[in-house]
Amino acid sequence: FYAGQLSSPEAMIGRQFLAERGFDREAAEHFGVGFAPQGGRELAKHLRAHKFTDDELIKASLIRDGGWDYFQGRLLWPIRDAGRSVLGFGARRLSDDDRMPAKYINTRETPVYKKSNVLYGLDLARQHIAKKNQAVIVEGYTDVMACHIAGVDTAVASCGTAFGDDHARLLQRLLGTGDVSGGEVIFTFDGDAAGQAAPNTDRAWSVAERYGEATNIRDFDGQPGAPTEMDALVAYLQMLGRQTTIADRPVDEEGAE
């Protein structure tokens, strides 16, 4: 439903958002990007016609109490598990008149969607992570898209929460060793002040150090979400090769790690 809506006249603002970041129609289709209509009733009407009840749709976080669609007027990314089943969605604000102030909102916690247990892009990266024994953790949906298009096909991102222990355990299984230290996990966060202050950064260091010296952390100082600007990350990964040391840890103002 959402993917089909992306080609509608109303979704022009969403297509422009993608185009400005270097993503064409093929990229949108590959990653399943969609659009939630502004009207707020279209999805509910569509799913009721397929015999779903309001109780089921509310439990799945597809509509809200009162029957309004959960996502309205936003660009959407499907969040899938390793088997490509859709568990939930991430949605990006596109217009200033959006009644929801948050730039990004995600599906609420449901029986199948637990944000601490999912990684965006996992369905596309799973086989590559296992083959290369490497995972690259980035910050958001467009970062994952940019990485994969640039050839960094082991990129995934946490969804609306900091990278944590459950995510690390998920990578353990994907790396196939039962221990993250048997592979290579590289964190890439924005190098600007906002990125350094993000809870993700401190949390990533805590998790990475817990899993040993084979975890590589990269403080990627670049503009996220644009395929043409991923050269620095690609070059870093090529340079890194199979090194197994923690790299480039940020230094605080007093010069201590």
Side-chain angles (χ1 to χ4, degrees), residues 42-62:
E42 289 86 345
L43 179 65
K45 180 179 179 180
H46 174 78
L47 293 177
R48 287 176 188 135
H50 286 77
K51 309 303 181 184
F52 289 97
T53 68
D54 280 15
D55 285 345
E56 290 171 329
L57 300 181
I58 291 171
K59 183 177 291 188
S61 191
L62 293 172

Side-chain angles (χ1 to χ4, degrees), residues 134-137 163 171 175 180 183-187 214-217:
Q134 176 198 83
V136 176
I137 314 302
F163 185 91
L171 290 182
L175 291 168
V180 168
E184 184 174 70
V185 181
I186 304 167
F187 294 89
T215 302
N216 288 279
I217 296 183

Side-chain angles (χ1 to χ4, degrees), residues 159-245:
C159 304
T161 186
F163 185 91
D165 291 331
D166 289 336
H167 296 120
R169 281 189 281 270
L170 179 57
L171 290 182
Q172 289 177 359
R173 296 193 293 272
L174 292 175
L175 291 168
T177 63
D179 187 344
V180 168
S181 63
E184 184 174 70
V185 181
I186 304 167
F187 294 89
T188 66
F189 299 132
D190 285 345
D192 60 16
Q196 293 296 340
N200 242 352
T201 304
D202 291 340
R203 184 59 175 157
W205 277 110
S206 175
V207 172
E209 290 177 336
R210 186 176 309 167
Y211 286 101
E213 294 182 352
T215 302
N216 288 279
I217 296 183
R218 169 63 172 170
D219 175 22
F220 175 57
D221 185 6
Q223 178 68 34
T228 57
E229 299 184 15
M230 296 303 293
D231 292 346
L233 176 58
V234 174
Y236 171 77
L237 294 174
Q238 290 173 341
M239 177 272 295
L240 186 65
R242 296 306 306 161
Q243 293 179 25
T244 56
T245 58

Side-chain angles (χ1 to χ4, degrees), residues 10 35 59 67 77-78 84 133 139 154 160 174 185 189 199 207:
E10 182 185 11
F35 179 78
K59 183 177 291 188
W77 287 263
R84 298 189 62 82
N133 212 27
E139 289 197 87
T154 60
L174 292 175
V185 181
F189 299 132
V207 172

Side-chain angles (χ1 to χ4, degrees), residues 13-210:
I13 187 173
R15 296 193 297 273
Q16 289 176 338
F17 175 91
L18 293 171
E20 289 169 0
R21 287 154 180 79
F23 302 121
D24 58 16
R25 179 176 179 176
E26 182 180 355
E29 291 177 351
H30 180 68
F31 291 94
V33 182
F35 179 78
Q38 183 68 43
R41 299 285 190 180
E42 289 86 345
L43 179 65
K45 180 179 179 180
H46 174 78
L47 293 177
R48 287 176 188 135
H50 286 77
K51 309 303 181 184
F52 289 97
T53 68
D54 280 15
D55 285 345
E56 290 171 329
L57 300 181
I58 291 171
K59 183 177 291 188
S61 191
L62 293 172
I63 68 172
R64 300 176 184 272
D65 292 335
W68 291 94
D69 293 347
Y70 189 78
F71 301 108
Q72 302 173 30
R74 289 189 172 232
L75 202 62
L76 268 71
W77 287 263
I79 301 169
R80 301 183 174 106
D81 63 14
R84 298 189 62 82
S85 295
V86 176
L87 306 177
F89 297 92
R92 211 280 189 188
R93 180 177 179 170
L94 295 171
S95 63
D96 293 337
D97 60 359
D98 192 317
R99 289 171 291 184
M100 299 290 291
K103 181 182 291 187
Y104 286 93
I105 58 175
N106 290 77
T107 296
R108 292 191 307 261
E109 297 268 311
T110 71
V112 297
Y113 178 77
K114 309 291 183 184
K115 61 185 179 181
S116 63
N117 292 326
V118 297
L119 291 167
Y120 175 71
L122 183 63
D123 55 310
L124 298 174
R126 176 178 61 87
Q127 292 183 346
H128 302 293
I129 290 172
K131 180 178 179 179
K132 298 179 180 180
N133 212 27
Q134 176 198 83
V136 176
I137 314 302
V138 298
E139 289 197 87
Y141 308 114
T142 54
D143 295 340
V144 170
M145 293 177 68
C147 281
H148 280 252
I149 291 171
V152 184
D153 51 16
T154 60
V156 294
S158 56
C159 304
T161 186
F163 185 91
D165 291 331
D166 289 336
H167 296 120
R169 281 189 281 270
L170 179 57
L171 290 182
Q172 289 177 359
R173 296 193 293 272
L174 292 175
L175 291 168
T177 63
D179 187 344
V180 168
S181 63
E184 184 174 70
V185 181
I186 304 167
F187 294 89
T188 66
F189 299 132
D190 285 345
D192 60 16
Q196 293 296 340
N200 242 352
T201 304
D202 291 340
R203 184 59 175 157
W205 277 110
S206 175
V207 172
E209 290 177 336
R210 186 176 309 167

